[in-house]
Amino acid sequence: MSPETPAELTAPTLLRSRSFLAFWTGEGVSQLGVQLGQLALPVLAVSLLGAAEMELGVLNAAAMAAFLIVGLPAGAWVDRWLKRRTMIRADLARMVAMACVPVLWWAGVLQMWHLYVVAAVVGVATVFFDVAYQSYIPLLVHRSQIADANGKLEATAQVARMGGPALGGFLLALVSAPVLFAAESAGYLVSALCLTRVHDAEMRPERREDSSLWVEIREGGAFVARHPLIRRIVASTAIGNLFSSVAYVLLPLVILRELNLGAAGFGVMLSIGSVGGLVGAVAAPRLGARIGEGPLLPIGLMVGGAGGVLLPLALVAGPGPWAPVLLSVGEFSMSFGVIVYNVMQVSMRQRICPPRLLGRMNASIRCVVWGVMPIGSLLGGWLGERIGLVPTLWIGIVGGLVAILPVTLGPFFRLRTLSDAVQD
């Protein structure tokens, strides 16, 4: 049986595509492992290694710095390579890196600098995986199915984010944090194996003899800079990510130390937030059809920003019943709004970008919107030590509200449907 080609896929048959189902399954299992590991990392750093505010900032910065350092050339390289093969190799690299944590712990030599190195290696591999991943969806499914495919993949990711932290919090009551890194490593292995089952018609792009890496990078950046809608989306996302990193780098300290909710409470808070993300992922295509794809972008950010205000209020409330309630409602609202926004804007980008520029377009955007996150993490850690948790959280949340302006002041409220015409 020959593999499906995008032209042969129609909306009713997306769930019958063996290649999409293999891709979808692998990503779901991988995301569950990722969530177990993401919970274990701050718990291990704070509880076992005694990490302070600045050390958490450095740890988060190490994980995100790759988007700033190698993000742009990664896009050009991904456009030269086969994207599925790139994702498989990235998964295997992350599998090995994460497996090092329990090995070092069992050997009794694990230190904070080991976590910095592991986070940095995983970050570099993630850059290549994510750029290839977002560039691969239009090659796997029909153009009319891109939003539906993104919604399904994002919904699965949110299910993993919903169940993973809660499961991780329960497991942390039974086993030590480093053990959960083995689960994340296994998740990356499963993802790689599932990707080997995916069939597509992707051909290695032909390179012009006179083409250089810098010229190709500049071409992708120029497409992003010229497009009026993408420019505003990049501005909003970058501002939001910068200030959310300032606030979120301190969230483990808020939950584990200040509110004394423990690892299980940390996992539950993250899971409740992911419920909002799941609802947002499922609802985004329907909301886009009902109220318009354009208006949904600023509305999503407004809902997320309103939820963020509740996080510092939870710390002000102090230990007691109100803090978990405020954290839960805030996490739910933020995740719902941000995921609705992301499903719409990523689907728009994938539809309007020429296929030959997908990798460079995604890398150019990721370099900016993810590249600011290590800066925000370091700033959050530094401010947390200098002025305290509550003022730093307010700076992060209020600054994040500014992210709403570029899309709110743009033409999105007038656009019922975001253009799906390929621009070249």
Side-chain angles (χ1 to χ4, degrees):
M1 179 177 177
S2 61
E4 302 94 329
T5 64
E8 294 170 333
L9 290 171
T10 59
T13 61
L14 183 58
L15 294 180
R16 301 191 191 102
S17 168
R18 294 181 180 178
S19 291
F20 179 77
L21 290 176
F23 185 78
W24 192 9
T25 301
E27 289 312 295
V29 176
S30 175
Q31 284 290 337
L32 179 60
V34 167
Q35 296 309 311
L36 293 176
Q38 285 184 347
L39 175 66
L41 187 60
V43 170
L44 185 151
V46 173
S47 301
L48 297 186
L49 300 181
E53 288 89 342
M54 194 61 201
E55 288 175 309
L56 282 180
V58 173
L59 184 61
N60 278 273
M64 304 305 303
F67 285 93
L68 185 62
I69 297 171
V70 300
L72 288 177
W77 283 323
V78 166
D79 276 341
R80 296 179 179 182
W81 301 337
L82 294 175
K83 295 171 179 58
R84 183 169 62 92
R85 187 176 299 174
T86 300
M87 289 187 284
I88 292 173
R89 291 172 176 172
D91 269 336
L92 295 177
R94 293 188 291 185
M95 177 196 72
V96 173
M98 297 309 296
C100 291
V101 175
V103 171
L104 291 169
W105 177 68
W106 285 323
V109 297
L110 184 64
Q111 300 178 36
M112 277 300 299
W113 74 267
H114 292 133
L115 297 186
Y116 298 154
V117 173
V118 168
V121 171
V122 171
V124 171
T126 298
V127 168
F128 285 94
F129 184 93
D130 284 359
V131 171
Y133 171 84
Q134 288 201 342
S135 306
Y136 186 67
I137 299 299
L139 302 174
L140 184 65
V141 304
H142 189 267
R143 289 173 60 80
S144 64
Q145 295 176 301
I146 288 176
D148 186 26
N150 282 325
K152 285 180 169 58
L153 291 166
E154 191 58 53
T156 304
Q158 291 304 317
V159 169
R161 291 168 192 157
M162 179 175 58
L167 176 61
F170 172 75
L171 292 176
L172 282 171
L174 304 176
V175 299
S176 297
V179 175
L180 295 189
F181 283 88
E184 183 168 6
S185 180
Y188 288 132
L189 175 60
V190 171
S191 176
L193 292 175
C194 287
L195 283 169
T196 64
R197 305 287 296 175
V198 176
H199 300 282
D200 56 63
E202 183 184 12
M203 303 290 292
R204 187 183 295 273
E206 294 184 4
R207 286 188 59 203
R208 301 194 309 266
E209 292 297 327
D210 59 345
S211 178
S212 68
L213 183 65
W214 172 245
V215 170
E216 293 178 7
I217 291 173
R218 188 171 57 188
E219 189 178 10
F223 175 81
V224 172
R226 287 196 309 265
H227 199 285
L229 300 184
I230 292 181
R231 277 203 311 268
R232 290 184 175 275
I233 285 172
V234 170
S236 284
T237 308
I239 295 170
N241 284 353
L242 173 65
F243 284 100
S244 68
S245 297
V246 170
Y248 265 80
V249 71
L250 302 176
L251 192 61
L253 289 175
V254 171
I255 294 176
L256 297 173
R257 190 178 71 185
E258 300 299 321
L259 300 178
N260 198 29
L261 296 177
F266 189 22
V268 169
M269 290 301 104
L270 295 179
S271 295
I272 290 173
S274 296
V275 173
L278 173 61
V279 175
V282 173
R286 295 177 176 84
L287 290 173
R290 179 177 293 272
I291 67 177
E293 295 177 344
L296 200 54
L297 290 171
I299 289 173
L301 288 184
M302 290 176 186
V303 172
V309 174
L310 299 180
L311 298 188
L313 291 179
L315 189 54
V316 172
W322 279 108
V325 172
L326 292 171
L327 284 173
S328 300
V329 176
E331 286 285 334
F332 183 97
S333 301
M334 283 192 299
S335 295
F336 176 86
V338 169
I339 294 302
V340 165
Y341 168 82
N342 279 339
V343 169
M344 288 294 100
Q345 62 97 356
V346 169
S347 299
M348 183 202 76
R349 284 161 37 195
Q350 291 172 339
R351 291 199 305 255
I352 66 179
C353 182
R356 65 183 182 83
L357 289 177
L358 278 168
R360 282 167 284 171
M361 180 270 292
N362 286 320
S364 297
I365 293 174
R366 284 294 178 100
C367 180
V368 176
V369 304
W370 288 63
V372 299
M373 295 177 75
I375 300 172
S377 294
L378 292 173
L379 181 60
W382 182 80
L383 287 174
E385 289 189 345
R386 293 299 186 276
I387 65 176
L389 292 180
V390 173
T392 303
L393 286 175
W394 277 118
I395 290 173
I397 298 305
V398 174
L401 294 175
V402 179
I404 301 171
L405 294 179
V407 293
T408 302
L409 300 178
F412 292 101
F413 277 111
R414 302 192 301 270
L415 300 176
R416 176 76 188 179
T417 303
L418 296 170
S419 173
D420 62 356
V422 174
Q423 301 183 12
D424 199 356

